[in-house]
Amino acid sequence: MSDEVSPAPALGPGLDLDLRLVRYFTVVAEHLHFGRAAVSLHVAQPSLSRQIKRLEDTLGVRLLERTTQGSALTAAGAAFLPQAQALLHSAQQAVRAARAAAPPRTITIGYVEDLVITPAVRDLRRRHPDAHVRTRHLHWNEARALPDGRVDVLVARTPLPIPDNDLSVTVLYDEPRVLLVPASHRLADKASVRQDDFADEPLPACAGMAAGWSGFWRLEPRSEGNPAPLGPLLVDTFEDKLEVVADGRAVAVVPAYDRRYTLRDDLAAITVDDIEPCQVVLASRADDRNPLVTHFRESSRRFLEPRHEEMTHS
């Protein structure tokens, strides 16, 4: 970050304060380290530095100072932080209030990664032709869109990467987990394996994920309470995980019905006999009384069962 802060116009009616930049600042202030904050936000560190610089330019003050240990709040940053947190909280409350006041003829349906919700959405639209039914594709790290009010329901796999205390969760179906290995791997031709067959193989971990989520997919803790061998690097996306496995640097446990690994002929999926399945669930906010949420849950139960061709993966 440059030592020079460009002059900024005084805050006034014509000046917008970008809430995204305010959120970035609060995360950096929480970690007091640009690198760790960038990982938490899933943005590149140089980009995060530029966004903080933009916020400082807008305010006309320096908020953070680089130190040998990370970063430190300036006096202006320390004064701005509680106001920034209150601003973000107020914005979230405003979104929720607006959604609560909207007619119950609107629903935004979130779905994560490769999951397909089209049959259930089509049925909901058929049953409610006058409703405004929107869909929103989310990456694995965007499940907070549900508690934050950006979507009304969420179709995702367990374990959910967000607390489910205030959620209503409906299990749609169980999905086995399989071991993914390079096509040239010693286990690639096996019809099935057990955990002991690959206990010494490294498994990649996803950056920024909660311990419970990572542990489920890395089969931790092991019988002796030890962690699984860690792969050579953290991965940010499912596609990154596929690349690490195909390159022979790790193996991975993945959902059996995920279509993405079937597009590659350099990977092999093997049934694992002694692990529990994950589940595909529909989650909504427990206090949401929108009848379209209830109706979409009914459509999902009826139409989102795994199809036969999904269950016969190669």
Side-chain angles (χ1 to χ4, degrees):
M1 188 180 296
S2 169
D3 290 335
E4 297 298 326
V5 177
S6 303
L11 287 173
L15 185 62
D16 294 325
L17 193 58
D18 190 332
L19 291 180
R20 181 173 59 94
L21 303 186
V22 174
R23 177 171 171 264
Y24 282 3
F25 163 72
T26 62
V27 174
V28 176
E30 174 188 348
H31 290 276
L32 291 179
H33 192 284
F34 273 81
R36 288 193 291 270
V39 170
S40 175
L41 290 164
H42 306 289
V43 300
Q45 184 173 337
S47 174
L48 178 59
S49 295
R50 289 193 297 271
Q51 301 310 318
I52 296 299
K53 176 68 162 53
R54 281 183 55 199
L55 178 62
E56 291 177 326
D57 288 348
T58 299
L59 297 176
V61 296
R62 180 176 295 285
L63 300 172
L64 292 151
E65 295 283 3
R66 298 275 193 176
T67 71
T68 56
Q69 302 299 319
S71 301
L73 290 170
T74 64
F80 182 61
L81 179 58
Q83 302 299 325
Q85 292 167 331
L87 180 63
L88 293 174
H89 178 72
S90 295
Q92 187 179 93
Q93 293 296 102
V95 170
R96 289 180 175 175
R99 287 185 176 273
R105 305 298 300 172
T106 297
I107 185 173
T108 300
I109 302 165
Y111 60 105
V112 175
E113 294 291 354
D114 70 301
L115 294 173
V116 175
I117 61 171
T118 308
V121 173
R122 184 185 296 123
D123 183 64
L124 184 67
R125 286 177 171 148
R126 179 189 60 79
R127 295 166 63 190
H128 299 278
D130 297 329
H132 184 31
V133 179
R134 297 176 294 186
T135 59
R136 182 169 182 174
H137 180 258
L138 301 170
H139 295 294
W140 59 266
N141 59 350
E142 296 180 307
R144 282 215 59 84
L146 177 60
D148 288 351
R150 288 176 282 134
V151 301
D152 301 301
V153 296
L154 178 70
V155 179
R157 290 183 175 94
T158 59
L160 292 175
I162 53 175
D164 60 2
N165 303 16
D166 298 321
L167 302 181
S168 174
V169 179
T170 299
V171 176
L172 300 178
Y173 57 86
D174 288 348
E175 179 175 7
R177 292 183 286 167
V178 296
L179 178 68
L180 200 63
V181 300
S184 59
H185 193 274
R186 60 183 176 84
L187 299 175
D189 294 330
K190 295 281 189 182
S192 65
V193 294
R194 299 178 66 83
Q195 292 185 64
D196 288 345
D197 294 326
F198 57 96
D200 296 331
E201 299 270 6
L203 283 86
C206 287
M209 292 307 293
W213 191 95
S214 294
F216 181 80
W217 291 105
R218 284 172 40 79
L219 306 180
E220 294 172 334
R222 297 298 173 90
S223 55
E224 297 82 12
N226 298 323
L230 187 62
L233 71 161
L234 296 176
V235 296
D236 293 315
T237 68
F238 187 84
E239 289 74 17
D240 291 335
K241 182 181 291 188
L242 298 186
E243 189 62 33
V244 168
V245 174
D247 196 35
R249 292 182 288 170
V251 300
V253 175
V254 300
Y257 306 153
D258 193 305
R259 299 163 177 81
R260 290 170 290 183
Y261 71 77
T262 66
L263 302 177
R264 304 184 58 145
D265 58 10
D266 53 359
L267 297 171
I270 311 157
T271 300
V272 184
D273 289 333
D274 57 346
I275 61 173
E276 63 181 306
C278 62
Q279 295 178 318
V280 174
V281 301
L282 184 149
S284 62
R285 294 181 294 277
D287 59 355
D288 195 332
R289 298 295 178 261
N290 185 345
L292 290 177
V293 171
T294 300
H295 295 162
F296 183 69
R297 182 176 290 108
E298 295 167 354
S299 295
S300 297
R301 282 173 167 163
R302 182 179 177 188
F303 289 100
L304 296 190
E305 289 293 329
R307 296 188 296 273
H308 176 70
E309 60 268 25
E310 292 176 321
M311 301 178 69
T312 55
H313 57 275
S314 58

